[in-house]
Amino acid sequence: MTDNSNDPRVSRRSFLQQAALGGVTLTGIGGILYSKQAPAVIASDATRPMANWGLQIGDVIDDRAIIWSRADRAARMIVEWSLDETFKRSKKIRGPHALEVTDFTSRIDLTQLPADSEVFVRVSYQDLDSGRASSEPLVGQFRTPPSHRRDIRFVWSGDTAGQGWGIDLGFGGMKIYEAMRQVRPDFFIHSGDTIYADGPMVERVTDTAGNLIWTNAFLDEVPEKMKVAETLHEYRRNHLYNRYDANIQRFSAEVPQIWQWDDHEVTNNWSDSKVLDSRYTEQRVQTLTARATRAFLEHSPMRWHNQAEEERVYRHIPYGRDLDVFVLDMRSYRGPNSYNLQAEPSAETAFLGKPQIDWLKKKLKESRTTWKVIAADMPLGVQIPDGTDPQGRAKWEGPANGNDGPASGRELEIADLLRFIKREDIRNIVWVTADIHYCAAHYYDPNKAVFQDFAPFWEFVAGPLNAGTFGPNPMDKTFGPQVIFSKTPPAPNAPPSAGFQFFGQIDIDEHSKVLSVALKDLNGTKVFGKQLEPRPSKGDHDRWD
């Protein structure tokens, strides 16, 4: 990487620090940043809306960015943006109403933003009684994608507030978010399990000897976290709980996010074959899915898709001339979790589903960027069991089926995609994912695979962000994955305080185009690194000038 001393990203911390020195109050529920600018009308707290959960920036592409926040009551969202951190020259946008029907969340899609620029945003809410009382403004900052080549840095991970490990203020809260913020990434990919709707919390967690090892804060404010989520209200509160963490609030105010989802946004390992346990009074998994989907879309900083498929999560995030990110949805279109050994493709073997596979093939073929990053919810070759079926056969949660043989079941869909990539000679593809609660580097080698009609590629696994750590899982040999590195805890369900929380970082050098991968721990210490040299693609010689 080149010297970043003159990089506008470096001003992010100074902007927030200067704002604090100039009167910004670290206050509210978790210590969010409020603007020093006073509200237009001084009013009592009883009449003024509050926005105690901060703001989020999401899906930044070209000249656009999603700005998200939440009020504590019905109010109108107001967003200002400026290229000047003092907001002397700014544009004010009258946004939508935040109403109970959306859990008082709201978002604006900012447009016509200049390329490769630091953008400062300020969000407030106006009351609906008089229209004159306003909330304290929230401040944030982000950088738009480049129109020319420059260094690019992003981070990824998954799994937030899982296995009963929530916000422990004595530990410092969800500290890994601060470690990621400190590296000043251009954006963050949340690889799924953004919440654990099926993971109830207790206030105090002790070890087998009765020693206190963890205290979950904010359960008085969010008692819904003490049971599995079933109602729409309970799913919404699961998302809101995470935003009580000061680290998440600071992080999301200056790092654009790209969210995808996996199973715990609904319930563990859900599919059409899911049998819910006795904790659930609602036994219809599709009803839970409907409620969970609504809550996810309300609370994620995503740009919603068009009316034809408004709940769609998979999407393309272009980021300059050297990077395309393809965000997958491995949950919504799958067939039921099964024994996964079917010899022929069918509705039972669907994983991404044909429309998403066709979209991904088309987008990969059209891409002219140096690197193509596929952001997946789950790894391809890791065996993830899901109990047994009525015939006593092992069921599987992901593509891998544990038979180490020719492609079968969901592997048929993956084999078709990998064969297409090889046939079309689409180069420089890297997979990033989370889900398995440990970090790893996998090299998929056709020379060591049973199915060999594909080009070799890397898959990097990070996580969890703030959840129990497990592993390692066995690998399936169908696609020849080689475990080059992994780091796992000595015992299952290790708490975040044990230190086995991980995120991944990718840097793309503007000159050499080398892609550098680092897997980092809770404190930002690198535990593994790998550099990948790009291979020039046919017909794209202009990219190397």
Side-chain angles (χ1 to χ4, degrees):
M1 296 290 291
T2 55
D3 180 12
N4 284 333
S5 58
N6 295 317
D7 192 326
R9 285 180 299 181
V10 176
S11 70
R12 291 181 181 177
R13 181 185 296 175
S14 63
F15 164 63
L16 296 178
Q17 288 175 338
Q18 290 168 13
L21 292 172
V24 167
T25 305
L26 286 173
T27 184
I29 291 170
I32 61 179
L33 286 171
Y34 289 123
S35 169
K36 64 184 178 181
Q37 177 176 318
V41 173
I42 298 176
S44 70
D45 287 344
T47 61
R48 289 169 53 189
M50 301 291 288
N52 289 333
W53 299 275
L55 60 86
Q56 296 185 95
I57 303 155
D59 283 11
V60 177
I61 59 172
D62 299 327
D63 65 343
R64 302 171 65 184
I66 293 292
I67 307 298
W68 175 101
S69 191
R70 182 184 188 272
D72 68 337
R73 68 195 73 181
R76 181 182 289 282
M77 185 186 205
I78 304 295
V79 175
E80 295 175 83
W81 71 269
S82 177
L83 302 181
D84 177 1
E85 61 189 274
T86 66
F87 287 89
K88 289 181 179 178
R89 295 179 299 277
S90 64
K91 293 184 179 180
K92 180 180 289 189
I93 300 172
R94 182 173 180 260
H97 291 111
L99 301 174
E100 187 175 7
V101 70
T102 60
D103 196 32
F104 305 112
T105 66
S106 61
R107 71 195 63 214
I108 282 178
D109 194 353
L110 295 183
T111 59
Q112 298 181 332
L113 303 175
D116 207 14
S117 299
E118 287 292 306
V119 178
F120 304 92
V121 294
R122 191 157 57 190
V123 177
S124 60
Y125 284 94
Q126 291 180 344
D127 81 291
L128 299 186
D129 292 330
S130 67
R132 293 173 60 79
S134 296
S135 67
E136 293 275 7
L138 304 163
V139 294
Q141 181 181 7
F142 64 97
R143 190 180 187 183
T144 52
S147 58
H148 60 281
R149 285 202 166 92
R150 65 161 166 83
D151 292 346
I152 296 171
R153 170 176 293 169
F154 70 89
V155 292
W156 88 93
S157 190
D159 317 304
T160 303
Q163 289 72 50
W165 308 111
I167 304 167
D168 186 332
L169 297 178
F171 177 62
M174 301 188 188
K175 295 197 298 186
I176 197 168
Y177 279 91
E178 177 61 16
M180 292 192 297
R181 188 182 75 89
Q182 290 288 344
V183 305
R184 302 190 185 109
D186 289 298
F187 59 88
F188 164 65
I189 301 172
H190 200 310
S191 303
D193 294 337
T194 56
I195 61 168
Y196 276 73
D198 59 322
M201 293 179 183
V202 295
E203 183 179 355
R204 294 162 61 87
V205 182
T206 58
D207 61 18
T208 54
N211 301 308
L212 180 67
I213 60 172
W214 195 263
T215 302
N216 285 311
F218 303 115
L219 295 184
D220 288 343
E221 288 83 354
V222 193
E224 295 84 359
K225 280 300 301 176
M226 302 176 75
K227 68 176 292 293
V228 295
E230 299 177 85
T231 67
L232 175 58
H233 174 76
E234 289 166 349
Y235 280 110
R236 286 168 166 171
R237 288 302 175 270
N238 269 262
H239 284 281
L240 195 62
Y241 176 82
N242 294 350
R243 297 214 55 79
Y244 279 71
D245 181 72
N247 301 290
I248 286 181
Q249 290 175 4
R250 284 191 294 267
F251 179 81
S252 63
E254 61 176 289
V255 180
Q257 301 182 69
I258 301 169
W259 277 28
Q260 53 195 145
W261 74 335
D262 194 24
D263 56 331
H264 291 286
E265 283 84 357
V266 181
T267 188
N268 184 49
N269 293 358
W270 71 269
S271 73
D272 284 345
S273 65
K274 179 70 178 180
V275 177
L276 294 160
D277 60 53
S278 60
R279 297 176 301 167
Y280 289 87
T281 57
E282 175 56 75
Q283 289 287 311
R284 298 169 297 178
V285 69
Q286 290 299 342
T287 297
L288 296 180
T289 301
R291 295 166 180 169
T293 301
R294 176 63 182 263
F296 174 79
L297 293 174
E298 289 172 344
H299 284 264
S300 65
M302 268 178 53
R303 179 173 292 105
W304 293 331
H305 202 63
N306 61 36
Q307 197 70 29
E309 195 179 1
E310 60 183 12
E311 295 179 356
R312 181 171 134 180
V313 174
Y314 70 88
R315 58 205 188 277
H316 169 220
I317 306 291
Y319 207 85
R321 298 176 65 188
D322 287 322
L323 177 63
D324 274 328
V325 178
F326 303 98
V327 184
L328 301 188
D329 180 355
M330 293 176 159
R331 185 58 54 179
S332 302
Y333 310 101
R334 65 170 57 199
N337 287 359
S338 72
Y339 70 106
N340 202 23
L341 291 172
Q342 298 89 343
E344 298 294 333
S346 67
E348 281 192 335
T349 68
F351 189 56
L352 296 172
K354 188 176 187 304
Q356 187 175 186
I357 285 285
D358 289 346
W359 164 85
L360 181 57
K361 288 178 177 178
K362 181 176 183 292
K363 286 293 186 180
L364 287 171
K365 188 174 181 178
E366 291 174 348
S367 176
R368 293 297 179 265
T369 59
T370 306
W371 291 99
K372 299 135 185 83
V373 169
I374 298 178
D377 324 2
M378 304 180 70
L380 298 180
V382 177
Q383 298 181 31
I384 307 173
D386 186 30
T388 57
D389 66 12
Q391 290 74 42
R393 298 172 296 189
K395 292 198 305 181
W396 300 97
E397 163 72 347
N401 51 31
N403 77 333
D404 293 333
S408 58
R410 290 171 176 165
E411 292 173 337
L412 295 168
E413 199 176 79
I414 303 303
D416 173 68
L417 173 62
L418 297 180
R419 184 188 297 113
F420 171 84
I421 291 171
K422 177 184 176 182
R423 185 184 70 228
E424 298 296 329
D425 195 21
I426 304 171
R427 304 179 182 184
N428 304 326
I429 292 177
V430 174
W431 292 68
V432 298
T433 187
D435 182 65
I436 52 177
H437 294 243
Y438 62 91
C439 70
H442 300 148
Y443 181 66
Y444 287 77
D445 186 351
N447 295 319
K448 299 181 182 298
V450 178
F451 173 84
Q452 297 185 318
D453 192 12
F454 69 95
F457 64 94
W458 284 87
E459 173 187 73
F460 298 99
V461 188
L465 286 161
N466 197 89
T469 317
F470 298 88
N473 288 25
M475 307 296 291
D476 187 297
K477 297 179 181 178
T478 298
F479 301 118
Q482 308 300 299
V483 180
I484 306 303
F485 171 84
S486 70
K487 189 165 186 178
T488 59
N493 199 19
S497 53
F500 292 89
Q501 311 287 293
F502 304 100
F503 69 93
Q505 176 180 319
I506 285 182
D507 291 281
I508 301 174
D509 185 87
E510 66 169 304
H511 300 297
S512 68
K513 314 300 183 295
V514 168
L515 183 146
S516 300
V517 182
L519 298 176
K520 296 187 171 183
D521 67 13
L522 180 71
N523 299 311
T525 302
K526 185 166 71 172
V527 297
F528 172 81
K530 179 67 180 178
Q531 287 193 335
L532 302 180
E533 297 278 348
R535 296 177 59 213
S537 298
K538 295 179 179 178
D540 292 337
H541 301 296
D542 63 300
R543 295 188 296 113
W544 308 96
D545 293 342

